[in-house]
Each structure stands twice: as C-alpha cells, then as structure tokens.
Amino acid sequence: MRASARTLQFLVAATFVSISIATDTIDLTTSITGNQTLVSARGVFRLGFFTPPGSSDGRTYIGIWYASIPVQTVVWVANRQDPVVRSPGVLKLSTDGRLVILDGQNTTVWSSAAPTRDMTSRATARLLDSGNLVVSHDGSGSPESAAWQSFDYPTDTQLPGMKIGVDRRSGIDRNITSWSSPSDPSPGPYTFKLLPTGLPEFFLFRGAAKIYASGPWNGVGLTGVPDHLKNWDYTFTVVSNPDETYCAYYIAASSPLLSRFVVDGAAGLLQRYVWGGDGEWNSFWYHPTDPCDSYAKCGAFGFGHCDTAQTPECRCLPGFQPRSPQQWSFRDGSAGCVRRTNLSCGDGDGFWPVNNMKLPETTGATVHADMTLDECRQACLANCSCRAYAAANISGGVSRGCAIWAVDLLDMRQYPVVVQDVYIRLAQSEVDAMIKVQSGKRRRPMVIAVAATISGVLLLGAIGFFYFWRNRARGKKGQRQAPGSRNNVLPFRKHTDLSPSADQRFNENKMSGEDDLDLPLFDLAVILASTDSFAAESKLGEGGFGPVYLGRLEDGQEVAVKRLSTKSSQGVEEFKNEVKLIAKLQHKNLVRLLGCCIDGDERLLVYEFMPNNSLDTFIFDAEKRKLLEWNKRFEIILGIARGLLYLHEDSRFKIIHRDMKASNVLLDRNMAPKISDFGIARMFGGDETTAYTLKVIGTYGYMSPEYAMEGVFSIKSDIYSFGVMVLEIVSGKKIRGFYHADLGLNLCGYAWMLWKEGRSSELLDEAMGSSSDHGQVRRCIQVALMCVDIQPRNRPVMSTVVMMLASENATLPEPNEPGVNAGRNTSDTGSSRTQSEFTVTATDTR
Ligand SMILES: *[C@@H]1O[C@H](CO)[C@@H](O)[C@H](O)[C@H]1NC(C)=O
Ligand SMILES: *[C@@H]1O[C@H](CO)[C@@H](O)[C@H](O)[C@H]1NC(C)=O
Ligand SMILES: *[C@@H]1O[C@H](CO)[C@@H](O)[C@H](O)[C@H]1NC(C)=O
Ligand SMILES: *[C@@H]1O[C@H](CO)[C@@H](O)[C@H](O)[C@H]1NC(C)=O
Ligand SMILES: *[C@@H]1O[C@H](CO)[C@@H](O)[C@H](O)[C@H]1NC(C)=O
Ligand SMILES: *[C@@H]1O[C@H](CO)[C@@H](O)[C@H](O)[C@H]1NC(C)=O
C-alpha cells in the first residue's frame, strides 16, 4: 500500500468509541450529536462526527466511513470547509428539507443544498448501505422521493454506484477533489472531473493545470486507461446522453468487496483501493502510471512511447518531425512536432491512419454524432484547419459519428495493441512517400499469411477502394477494453473499402520505425512436424497449464512447445492480444516467448528451449545438486529476483506470476535462471490487476496464506512464493516434502527456528560443502523469512528484495515468525482440511 494513502486512514483509537443510535435514519424530530452515529441497514457504513487524524484543535466534521473495518476510512465529508469548532456538533434535518450542522452554541455551521422536492412532515434522511445519505421528501425512501443525496456532492472518493460527471437536468456537476492534507478535509489541489466538450473524457487537475487525462471514451473504453479494472463482480461504464454524461463503476450486490476510487492528494494520483483480506487497503491501479501518462507530455503532434524494456520517450506522428531537435535529444518533447511538408489545403492532401494510440484530447474537437466516416473525411478536407478525424463511437465494432480536430493533436501515447483508427491529415506527398516505404519493406511471411487470411474474408465485402489506406484488416479490438467486454468477443470491424495489399502497408509499428510487434504465428502442421505429433518421447514435462513438448524446427532450432489445456473462455483475438503482450515482456531472466499457434481448439505457445531443464531438477536431485555451489545458487536467487522485479515493477503491465515455484524456473546453458509460465494466468482470462479471483491458481506450499484461504492475490503473493523458493534453494529441501516431525515444523517454520537460534547456516544444503559465504547465506534466509511473513504488508516488494540481497553490509529488518503453515504438515496431499476448501486448478505434478 502506498504510504500516502495510509495517512488518510487511522486506526480507531481506543478512545474513539461511537455510540450508534441503532438506526440508519433521522427525521424532523431526531438528530445526532457528539459521539452518536447512524449505521446503514446491513452495517456497511457509519455516519457521525469525526476528528481527522493529526488535528489537535478539536475540529469535527460529519463524515461517512466503513462500519465494518478497523481502519477508519472516511469516504464522504459534509462540511469539509466548515468544521465544527465549538463542540458538540449536532446534525439534524430542518423542516425546509436541508441537512443542518449546528455547533455547541446553536450556530449553523453548514447546511446542504436546497432540496429538489417539497418536504412533508414525514421527511427523513437515511444512510444507505451504498454509502449514500439520501433525504427522502416523504420518508418513503423510494428513488423518486429523493430530494437530496450525498452522492451528488462527492468529496474525494467515488464509491460504487456514484457518478462523476454532469447531470444536465439538475445542473449538478460532480467531481472528486483531494483533501488539503490528511488532517484537513477541505478541498486540496487535485480534482478529477469531466470536461463537458468533445467526447466524454475525464481529467485530473492540479489547480488549473491538467496533469492526466483518461483519454476520450469511444463507446468501448477510455482510450487512456489500458487496464480498466475488470473482475467477476466489478464493472465500469461511461454513459453519455443528452441528459447526462458520467462515469461510474458497480460492484455486484452479493460481493463482499469493499472498493473505493480516490483522488490522493499526497501522491497526486487517482487510485483504486480494495479492502484485502489482509486487513489493509490495497491499491493495484493508479494513474498517472508512467511518464507517458503525463498530460500532453510530448506536445502537439507528438506521442509518448513507454513500453517494456525501453526508456520512455517522445516520438512524432508520421509525417511530423520534432519542432526543436535539440530539446528533443534532451528528452524534452514538450515543444512537440511540426509537419515535414505543409498542407496544400486543397486536393493535394491525404490521410494516414494510426491506430495503436490513446486518442488525442477532444475538448477542442467537434463531435458530429450523425456523420459517417466518409462525410467526416470530406468535411475535414474541406476545412483547411482540420488536422484529423476519427470515429466517435466504435461500440460493437461499428463506427458511429465522428470527431474532427481543427486543433493541435495533444496527449497521445502509443499502446502495443490496436485502439482505433485516427486519420491524420498530411500532404499527399507525405502519404505517398510512406506508402512507398511500407511496400518497400518486406514483412515476415508469417505475418503476411495471417493478414492475408483475414483480409481474404474481409475482401468478400470489398466493393471498392475509394481510398484504400483506410483501415487495417487486423480487425481486433484493443487490449484496453472496457470492463465487461472482456469475455465478449467483438465482431470484426467491417472493412468495406479495403484491399489486402493496402492492408499490408498499414502496420503502425513499421511506420513508427520500430520492430515489428507481430508475433510469429506457427502453423499447426509445423508444430506437429517438430514435435512428432506430440509424441510421448518429445514430452518434456507437465506444467500447470498443460504439457510441454520439445520441438525441433526445420532449421534445427530447438523449441519448447506448451500445449495449453483449452479451458480458456477467451476468443481468438483476445488470446492473440494477450500472447502479444506477454511476448513484449523481455528480460534476461524470463523465458523468451517465440510465437504461438492457434488452430481450432488448440492453443500452443512456442518458447525458447532451455537445455538445463528446471531448477527443481537440480536442487532436489541427489547427484545434480552437488553441481550447484553456493555462488551459483546465490546468482540464481538474484536472477529470479530480478526477473520477478521486472514482472512486478518494471514492465508496463505489472504481471503477477501467481505460480512461482522451482519447477517454473528454467536454467539456460550457463545455468542462468529464467522464469517461465509468467502471464499465462492472464491468458486464461484472469485479470492480473484485481485482487480477487474465483479460481485459485497456484501450487500448495508456495501459496501465500491469504491467497490460498481467501483468493486474495497481489504481488505480495508472488513475494511469498519467492521466499519459499529461496529457502528451498538454500536448503535443497522441498517445501512439499520437508516436515520436521520431531519439532512439528515445516520448512518455513524450521528455517525460522534456526534463524532465531542463530544457527541458520545449518539450513544450508549439506551437498554444498563448506565453501559458502555464510554472510550471504544468512542474508538470503533473512530476506526469505521476511517474504514469507503471514502479513502481506510486512513482506518487502521485489525492488527492496533485490536491494537487500545485494547489499553486503546493510542491517536488514528482523523477520517475524512465519505464519499459518508453521507447524502444519503440508506434505500430505489431500488430507488437510484447508486444502479441500479451495480449488487448486494448477497443481504441482512433480
Ligand atoms: C459520548 O458522549 C457523552 C456526552 O458527551 C459522554 O458522556 C460519553 O461518555 C461518551 N461516550 C463514550 C463512550 O465516549
Ligand atoms: C440550543 O437550542 C436548544 C433547543 O432550542 C436549547 O435547548 C439549548 O439550550 C440551546 N443551547 C444554547 C447553548 O443556546
Ligand atoms: C468540484 O465540485 C464542487 C461542487 O461539488 C465545486 O464547488 C468545485 O468548484 C468543483 N471543483 C472543480 C475544480 O471543478
Ligand atoms: C455508442 O454506441 C452504442 C451503440 O449504439 C450506444 O449504446 C452508446 O450509448 C454509444 N455511446 C456513446 C457514448 O455515445
Ligand atoms: C509552411 O508554413 C509555415 C507557416 O504556415 C511557413 O512559415 C513555412 O515557410 C512553410 N514551409 C514551406 C516549406 O512552405
Ligand atoms: C473550419 O473549422 C473551424 C473549427 O471547427 C471553424 O471554426 C471554421 O469555421 C471552419 N471553416 C470552414 C470554412 O468551415
């Protein structure tokens, strides 16, 4: 959890005792005062006076916080600018239908906006389980009877069901604004809100300056939020119609999930928090996430490039060049880009589509809901100030309406996946030049084959090609889809005006001059030939997601082919997108994905082959373990840590492995470790960024307690597994095989006992002899013990782990006694009660 967020919460101090008046309602005759509170019907939220942590002058506020968790987390404040200074405060409902806060001297310090309905004598104010405080004009509580509600006046938190945006009928414009400081709920500098012009788009402001934009909503997703949270019980949506425009998210009523979306003033971030089973708020989702999220970082007609394994940088749209090459070379892209060739402002102009970008800001664009793309193109050509156009709504794979930019294109960034086509206006000579460049470069045969196949289908509808560079035939939707759409495969976009030859030209990646991102697709026939039709002899082993075979390609290259069990509910395009994303994760401690094959139900992944097999075949083997001296083992531990660090923190996608174990670490020719199977959970439709999962994927023994018991996973679950693995590497003992019967301890408990008694070098694998660096050994054990802490929050993150492992002389924190599994025999399979209480979909078969 981010420290800044922690400051907004505080443990209920022993003195902080609330007396609930056992109701969720006040009416015209009742009030709450002092330490009385209202509690919603099912006990989810509590309303009452509170004092912010760290404020010593006795100011109190009316607030709403969660009733069921020990960390007082205030989600709404009524009088954020008007504290009660003279206690005790009183909250009551006045006869004119306003909520009123009086101080100890009966002075009104705050009152709510005027009700939108006439009051009756039965009027009430009720605190709902959603966290909404609703004034009902007749006390009936029906939605129509609402005369005022706290959801219309958010503070810094968007709760499920709360709308951010404008209601044009009532004139209410809802934003969320950070607290000034953890001890002062008055409005701080950061605000997240809708800007009313153009396509629906939400902006994070610091004061008057935009610092982050969500990207325009295109009917499918916010194009600047590639990782919309999606979970089995979580949906996000943007609604835009003449009455209102807003974003909201919803949690299934049956879900126990507590979720909040906050403008964090200390960090200057938008954050989504989920209450974890570990007793704290976890945040896996926040924006701005990386430098390319900074608003308009690369200036006009520039776009940000922040991909894996590369330094963030600014680039220019095709046909443009840096305005100030000198600044550009110093990595300052803010001056943006200028045209290489001026527009002719007549027939001499054309368009070039880019489609793997966040859409440019549309607040200055004109949206035409009724125009077709053709009409839009004509309109753009006819107006000399028009710079670009794009479809306004691509929901369902169909283009509706359009946006026309007669302003500079700002705030674009590149994604590894297709978002939607934006047609950039360029001088025709530039377009021609680019077409020439494209057709000059030969693409890899594999990619052409795919494109041609898909185009072939689309060609059926190709009536003509009025302008043949319109769309790409790769009719896949973006990876950053709206939540809720993950499992619906969108229909292919229609490309009635496209020729296959044109298609081959439009690979944006070529266009922007970088490596072809297309992943080789292998023919099933090629794979069958290389593996002898999955012959038993070529089987290398069985992993969590299916068997692995050794294949020998025609050119003699050896590859490992993973045959995924076909349980995935994903469509082909989605699967391909996932594979491409995984293929982009490249690090020397990760196994390289070479390609994939999709044929009917078959889903195959082709990896580089690791001749030395997996780590467990060494450290748990009576003979081979002797080959691994301490130095080598230490290097392996460091290598795994670096690979995991890359997955967790350095790659753009923040992959949680979910099944870290010795058999998933492969060794190359030089015995350098490479993590395998990363990201596969993702391909099976699991969302890597969310905190809960229906199916627990993993291997017992390596699973962190909170993951195994409650299905809560996070990077901290991987850290736990890493800790277990380090103990295995040091000791040469299997977590699933080791049980010290006399002491009643498993490997973690045993390691801790030795640690406490200062005998930790006894844990060392006796096969290693005495040449080991005992300082290093102790440090590894110490770090491992921190990693297997029962409390996720006490486990270090990977960057800390790497630092601690590498720092020779630093004094490291003392580990705690490892939790839950200490003392329980984990080696007997099936007999333990906890084991049968959850599904292990991927188990260790070794
Ligand atoms: C609640 O407030 C009343 C009046 O101020 C006080 O007498 C009482 O002790 C308080 N109760 C608790 C539990 O603090
Ligand atoms: C506040 O008003 C209430 C009811 O009108 C009255 O009983 C009480 O004495 C008043 N208190 C002060 C300090 O004026
Ligand atoms: C946010 O909304 C409040 C009303 O709830 C308004 O007073 C305030 O000006 C808005 N802030 C910004 C930055 O628009
Ligand atoms: C986009 O189009 C879909 C399908 O017609 C429609 O339901 C949706 O409301 C549209 N979205 C916006 C923001 O216009
Ligand atoms: C392009 O236009 C700009 C301003 O409109 C002008 O300063 C510049 O000289 C033009 N360049 C060429 C090559 O015509
Ligand atoms: C061109 O577009 C701009 C911006 O939308 C508009 O102000 C201007 O009137 C348009 N010019 C013509 C000739 O339509």
Side-chain angles (χ1 to χ4, degrees):
M1 192 181 66
R2 313 183 78 81
S4 53
R6 187 176 280 155
T7 56
L8 284 181
Q9 307 152 4
F10 48 98
L11 283 169
V12 177
T15 53
F16 184 94
V17 181
S18 303
I19 307 188
S20 159
I21 52 177
T23 173
D24 58 358
T25 309
I26 54 174
D27 58 22
L28 295 177
T29 63
T30 51
S31 64
I32 61 170
T33 181
N35 48 22
Q36 293 174 327
T37 59
L38 299 182
V39 175
S40 64
R42 282 189 287 113
V44 183
F45 284 100
R46 186 185 288 276
L47 176 146
F49 285 96
F50 75 98
T51 306
S55 86
S56 50
D57 50 7
R59 287 173 292 131
T60 58
Y61 299 84
I62 278 287
I64 295 175
W65 60 91
Y66 296 91
S68 57
I69 61 174
V71 177
Q72 191 187 38
T73 310
V74 174
V75 296
W76 182 76
V77 182
N79 51 327
R80 64 187 303 187
Q81 303 195 64
D82 311 290
V84 174
V85 180
R86 292 169 299 197
S87 295
V90 178
L91 174 72
K92 61 178 204 173
L93 184 58
S94 70
T95 45
D96 66 354
R98 290 175 192 256
L99 284 164
V100 181
I101 299 176
L102 305 175
D103 69 6
Q105 292 176 359
N106 286 354
T107 313
T108 301
V109 298
W110 176 85
S111 70
S112 63
T116 53
R117 312 213 39 174
D118 290 339
M119 288 296 122
T120 70
S121 59
R122 293 189 308 277
T124 57
R126 181 187 304 264
L127 177 63
L128 307 183
D129 280 315
S130 60
N132 196 1
L133 175 65
V134 181
V135 173
S136 164
H137 83 116
D138 58 4
S140 69
S142 69
E144 305 77 47
S145 76
W148 179 92
Q149 54 179 342
S150 64
F151 269 20
D152 282 339
Y153 303 91
T155 309
D156 67 338
T157 304
Q158 183 185 23
L159 290 172
M162 209 169 194
K163 300 169 178 176
I164 303 291
V166 62
D167 184 333
R168 299 185 187 86
R169 297 159 301 187
S170 62
I172 289 175
D173 189 1
R174 310 171 202 90
N175 63 55
I176 46 178
T177 301
S178 62
W179 287 25
S180 286
S181 76
S183 59
D184 180 2
S186 67
Y190 294 93
T191 295
F192 184 63
K193 66 174 187 179
L194 171 82
L195 286 187
T197 55
L199 297 172
E201 183 168 11
F202 300 84
F203 291 83
L204 181 63
F205 282 85
R206 182 178 50 226
K210 293 171 187 163
I211 58 171
Y212 165 72
S214 69
W217 173 260
N218 62 5
V220 176
L222 289 170
T223 59
V225 187
D227 48 356
H228 268 309
L229 286 167
K230 163 70 174 67
N231 200 343
W232 50 285
D233 54 3
Y234 177 96
T235 52
F236 174 87
T237 183
V238 171
V239 170
S240 183
N241 58 43
D243 287 342
E244 50 183 351
T245 301
Y246 64 84
C247 69
Y249 69 100
Y250 302 90
I251 303 276
S254 57
S255 166
L257 204 67
L258 299 182
S259 173
R260 62 197 177 96
F261 188 76
V262 181
V263 178
D264 180 339
L269 293 175
L270 284 172
Q271 305 221 55
R272 185 204 177 210
Y273 287 104
V274 170
W275 181 253
D278 51 1
E280 69 177 41
W281 289 103
N282 293 299
S283 168
F284 305 114
W285 186 103
Y286 56 91
H287 279 281
T289 307
D290 58 22
C292 290
D293 264 357
S294 296
Y295 173 76
K297 173 188 163 61
C298 296
F301 303 104
F303 63 89
H305 178 90
C306 287
D307 257 332
T308 45
Q310 285 184 33
T311 338
E313 59 180 357
C314 284
R315 297 183 182 180
C316 288
L317 285 173
F320 288 79
Q321 62 197 15
R323 178 184 296 275
S324 160
Q326 198 186 355
Q327 260 185 33
W328 206 263
S329 65
F330 288 117
R331 299 192 170 279
D332 175 3
S334 53
C337 305
V338 290
R339 286 180 193 284
R340 280 201 296 248
T341 313
N342 284 348
L343 294 176
S344 75
C345 269
D347 287 345
D349 292 339
F351 292 93
W352 187 265
V354 298
N355 64 11
N356 51 351
M357 305 258 181
K358 174 179 180 178
L359 254 54
E361 174 180 0
T362 58
T363 51
T366 324
V367 177
H368 303 273
D370 306 323
M371 267 159 64
T372 65
L373 272 184
D374 282 358
E375 289 165 349
C376 235
R377 182 173 190 276
Q378 298 307 336
C380 188
L381 279 177
N383 187 331
C384 197
S385 42
C386 174
R387 267 81 152 182
Y389 71 94
N393 184 343
I394 57 162
S395 166
V398 182
S399 297
R400 293 184 191 79
C402 71
I404 293 184
W405 285 266
V407 291
D408 290 349
L409 304 183
L410 285 177
D411 196 42
M412 300 176 85
R413 66 171 293 173
Q414 188 172 35
Y415 292 119
V417 294
V418 172
V419 177
Q420 86 175 76
D421 295 333
V422 180
Y423 301 87
I424 313 286
R425 183 178 186 172
L426 295 176
Q428 188 62 46
S429 59
E430 286 286 340
V431 176
D432 293 343
M434 271 184 289
I435 290 175
K436 203 170 282 162
V437 170
Q438 292 284 298
S439 46
K441 284 188 191 169
R442 293 246 44 94
R443 307 187 59 194
R444 268 187 252 156
M446 221 47 114
V447 179
I448 290 183
V450 181
T453 317
I454 300 175
S455 311
V457 176
L458 297 168
L459 195 59
L460 296 174
I463 304 161
F465 37 88
F466 191 58
Y467 14 84
F468 56 84
W469 53 83
R470 295 239 351 203
N471 287 330
R472 298 175 59 174
R474 314 225 320 272
K476 57 194 172 181
K477 68 190 177 113
Q479 167 59 30
R480 37 92 311 277
Q481 53 216 294
S485 69
R486 190 172 189 105
N487 295 320
N488 323 326
V489 178
L490 284 182
F492 283 111
R493 282 152 48 187
K494 294 201 176 68
H495 296 266
T496 46
D497 50 1
L498 179 121
S499 76
S501 59
D503 162 65
Q504 287 167 28
R505 294 192 191 108
F506 298 111
N507 182 306
E508 259 61 64
N509 309 312
K510 284 278 187 213
M511 197 174 69
S512 53
E514 58 177 63
D515 287 340
D516 192 337
L517 294 177
D518 284 293
L519 185 71
L521 282 163
F522 289 87
D523 254 2
L524 186 56
V526 170
I527 304 281
L528 287 174
S530 78
T531 59
D532 228 347
S533 303
F534 300 118
E537 304 88 78
S538 49
K539 187 160 165 181
L540 289 170
E542 183 101 25
F545 298 89
V548 183
Y549 298 85
L550 173 63
R552 197 179 301 272
L553 298 180
E554 255 181 357
D555 61 3
Q557 191 192 356
E558 286 182 318
V559 293
V561 178
K562 190 167 196 91
R563 193 177 189 186
L564 297 179
S565 45
T566 47
K567 282 184 211 127
S568 172
S569 57
Q570 275 187 334
V572 169
E573 286 305 319
E574 259 183 315
F575 181 77
K576 258 195 240 166
N577 282 337
E578 290 291 354
V579 173
K580 276 189 194 162
L581 189 149
I582 301 306
K584 286 182 74 73
L585 296 170
Q586 291 184 11
H587 186 271
K588 68 179 191 320
N589 295 114
L590 300 182
V591 174
R592 179 89 193 269
L593 180 62
L594 300 175
C596 72
C597 167
I598 303 169
D599 193 310
D601 278 350
E602 284 287 0
R603 305 255 163 108
L604 303 158
L605 297 176
V606 181
Y607 291 99
E608 60 178 334
F609 174 65
M610 291 290 129
N612 274 325
N613 213 332
S614 54
L615 179 59
D616 60 329
T617 65
F618 274 83
I619 56 174
F620 303 139
D621 184 274
E623 285 307 311
K624 278 158 89 184
R625 71 199 308 165
K626 294 182 190 149
L627 301 173
L628 281 187
E629 309 230 305
W630 172 252
N631 284 347
K632 205 75 225 174
R633 293 195 196 204
F634 185 65
E635 276 171 29
I636 289 174
I637 291 174
L638 265 180
I640 301 171
R642 293 202 178 104
L644 210 46
L645 168 65
Y646 174 80
L647 286 179
H648 282 182
E649 300 175 38
D650 291 349
S651 78
R652 217 175 83 67
F653 311 105
K654 306 219 174 354
I655 300 283
I656 304 173
H657 189 292
R658 296 172 68 174
D659 199 12
M660 279 302 292
K661 57 182 173 185
S663 58
N664 272 337
V665 173
L666 305 184
L667 299 169
D668 75 2
R669 244 168 259 287
N670 306 316
M671 300 299 283
K674 295 190 179 228
I675 299 173
S676 74
D677 265 11
F678 51 89
I680 299 205
R682 236 185 115 105
M683 292 182 199
F684 280 76
D687 193 312
E688 294 288 314
T689 46
T690 47
Y692 285 79
T693 179
L694 275 178
K695 274 192 233 157
V696 173
I697 297 173
T699 305
Y700 197 68
Y702 289 94
M703 269 190 243
S704 64
E706 77 279 4
Y707 182 25
M709 306 295 171
E710 292 157 54
V712 180
F713 72 88
S714 66
I715 56 171
K716 294 300 185 72
S717 334
D718 274 358
I719 307 275
Y720 184 95
S721 314
F722 172 79
V724 171
M725 204 157 46
V726 171
L727 292 177
E728 289 184 328
I729 296 171
V730 171
S731 66
K733 307 213 168 40
K734 277 190 204 183
I735 183 77
R736 286 165 65 88
F738 179 88
Y739 180 62
H740 200 295
D742 292 348
L743 298 167
L745 289 175
N746 72 356
L747 183 57
C748 297
Y750 182 64
W752 194 75
M753 186 204 78
L754 292 177
W755 170 262
K756 281 318 269 185
E757 296 175 3
R759 303 192 285 143
S760 51
S761 41
E762 286 177 34
L763 192 65
L764 210 57
D765 190 348
E766 54 271 22
M768 260 186 292
S770 54
S771 63
S772 318
D773 174 338
H774 288 276
Q776 260 175 7
V777 173
R778 262 198 310 278
R779 205 160 59 239
C780 285
I781 295 175
Q782 188 169 4
V783 170
L785 287 171
M786 284 183 237
C787 292
V788 298
D789 197 298
I790 186 168
Q791 291 293 346
R793 67 165 168 272
N794 293 343
R795 297 176 205 148
V797 292
M798 226 50 223
S799 43
T800 315
V801 167
V802 170
M803 210 180 62
M804 291 193 298
L805 286 175
S807 48
E808 291 276 340
N809 299 315
T811 316
L812 307 182
E814 252 330 271
N816 298 315
E817 181 170 3
V820 73
N821 287 338
R824 189 194 295 148
N825 184 354
T826 55
S827 62
D828 58 345
T829 41
S831 66
S832 125
R833 227 172 63 83
T834 14
Q835 240 186 99
S836 54
E837 281 168 4
F838 57 86
T839 339
V840 180
T841 52
T843 47
D844 192 346
T845 55
R846 289 163 202 273

